[in-house]
Amino acid sequence: MTMRSKLMLGNWKMNGSLADNASLVSELLAGMAGVHCHAAVCVPTAYLAQLQNLLAGSALELGAQDVSAHESGPFTGEVSAKMLQDFAVRYCIVGHSERRRYHAESDALVATKAQRALAAGITPVVCVGESLAEREAGQTERVVKRQLAAVIHANGHCISEIVVAYEPVWAIGTGLTATPEQAQQVHAVLRAQLQAATAHADRVSILYGGSMSAATSADLLAQPDVDGGLIGAAALKASDFLALLETASR
Ligand code: PGA
């Protein structure tokens, strides 16, 4: 048995409004009594100040969805790790497949982003995952190991401070959840890779993401190397997200 308690992160992506966020959070906070896992919501940058206020003093923590690879300066539109720190951001997703795909983020860039987050005391949630074509070509392990290797290489002894999220691209937003066996197999590969890099690999939470729902979460979370979830669609509805948090609290 491991001592890692479960970590459940909501990824709101580009959704929400001042009014919708306020009602979602008030419903979530009202339902947190039976929740004993670690939980956070990763919100659009524009709403960090609002969420910092709404979540103050609660058990629900604050996360961001991306961070600049630069410290400061002429990078129009970007947001630095130090700025996230100003809003008491605890987690920051880096290398989500939507960033890799629509913004051509490379493994090296993602590794630098993880470095910036760590330097600001923010836990980077490093996303890795294969496309359907890569899985069908038998390349799943090769792809996720390459993605994680870049982050390990750039972050050395700090590597035990990261969170990893395995998100098969074919499972994101598709309703196609990986089976518990498929997830565990990849999580074990990632754990072994971390073990080769640090004596503290047991401390690293490896989350599963991709159409995680109340129906699919219990079997996924029961796997020895599945330490929580990164949840998109189901994080936008209070009852769905709370059901997931309750499953993770068992
Ligand atoms: P999903 O998204 O739960 O809607 O599949 C997960 C993610 O992209 O982080």
Side-chain angles (χ1 to χ4, degrees):
M1 271 313 276
T2 83
M3 295 307 289
R4 294 182 297 274
S5 62
K6 298 282 193 251
L7 171 62
M8 301 293 274
L9 299 179
N11 175 10
W12 287 6
K13 308 193 180 184
M14 197 172 71
N15 294 290
S17 67
L18 286 174
D20 289 349
N21 302 345
S23 59
L24 176 54
V25 168
S26 82
E27 278 185 74
L28 288 175
L29 296 184
M32 292 281 290
V35 172
H36 309 295
C37 63
H38 293 291
V41 286
C42 300
V43 308
T45 311
Y47 296 125
L48 286 173
Q50 181 198 18
L51 270 290
Q52 184 187 17
N53 267 305
L54 291 174
L55 299 180
S58 81
L60 197 54
E61 295 190 284
L62 183 57
Q65 298 176 8
D66 186 31
V67 66
S68 178
H70 303 284
E71 256 175 296
S72 68
F75 301 100
T76 302
E78 297 211 27
V79 171
S80 72
K82 239 177 150 16
M83 294 172 188
L84 298 182
Q85 196 181 43
D86 270 344
F87 297 97
V89 165
R90 169 86 173 74
Y91 298 98
C92 181
I93 297 171
V94 297
H96 191 280
S97 61
E98 289 151 15
R99 302 283 324 165
R100 292 180 191 262
R101 183 166 172 203
Y102 305 131
H103 302 271
E105 293 197 2
S106 66
D107 296 337
L109 183 78
V110 172
T112 305
K113 290 183 169 196
Q115 219 172 7
R116 293 289 177 221
L118 285 168
I122 295 167
T123 301
V125 179
V126 176
C127 299
V128 300
E130 82 288 2
S131 67
L132 185 58
E134 288 163 340
R135 174 163 283 267
E136 285 174 346
Q139 292 175 345
T140 298
E141 285 193 18
R142 198 172 66 81
V143 170
V144 299
K145 284 171 85 170
R146 188 203 70 218
Q147 291 171 330
L148 184 58
V151 178
I152 291 174
H153 179 73
N155 290 280
H157 66 277
C158 290
I159 204 67
S160 62
E161 307 300 321
I162 72 168
V163 166
V164 178
Y166 169 54
E167 297 206 305
V169 177
W170 48 270
I172 295 175
T174 58
L176 294 171
T177 316
T179 65
E181 296 71 28
Q182 285 173 324
Q184 171 56 29
Q185 194 179 11
V186 175
H187 283 228
V189 166
L190 296 170
R191 181 85 60 204
Q193 192 179 1
L194 289 164
Q195 263 153 0
T198 168
H200 306 295
D202 281 353
R203 276 192 216 152
V204 179
S205 290
I206 307 179
L207 315 182
Y208 168 80
S211 298
M212 200 187 236
S213 67
T216 56
S217 60
D219 289 345
L220 283 162
L221 293 171
Q223 300 301 310
D225 289 298
V226 178
D227 305 314
L230 181 55
I231 299 123
L236 294 173
K237 213 176 134 204
S239 55
D240 289 349
F241 195 52
L242 285 170
L244 282 163
L245 298 185
E246 276 154 26
T247 309
S249 300
R250 282 186 206 140

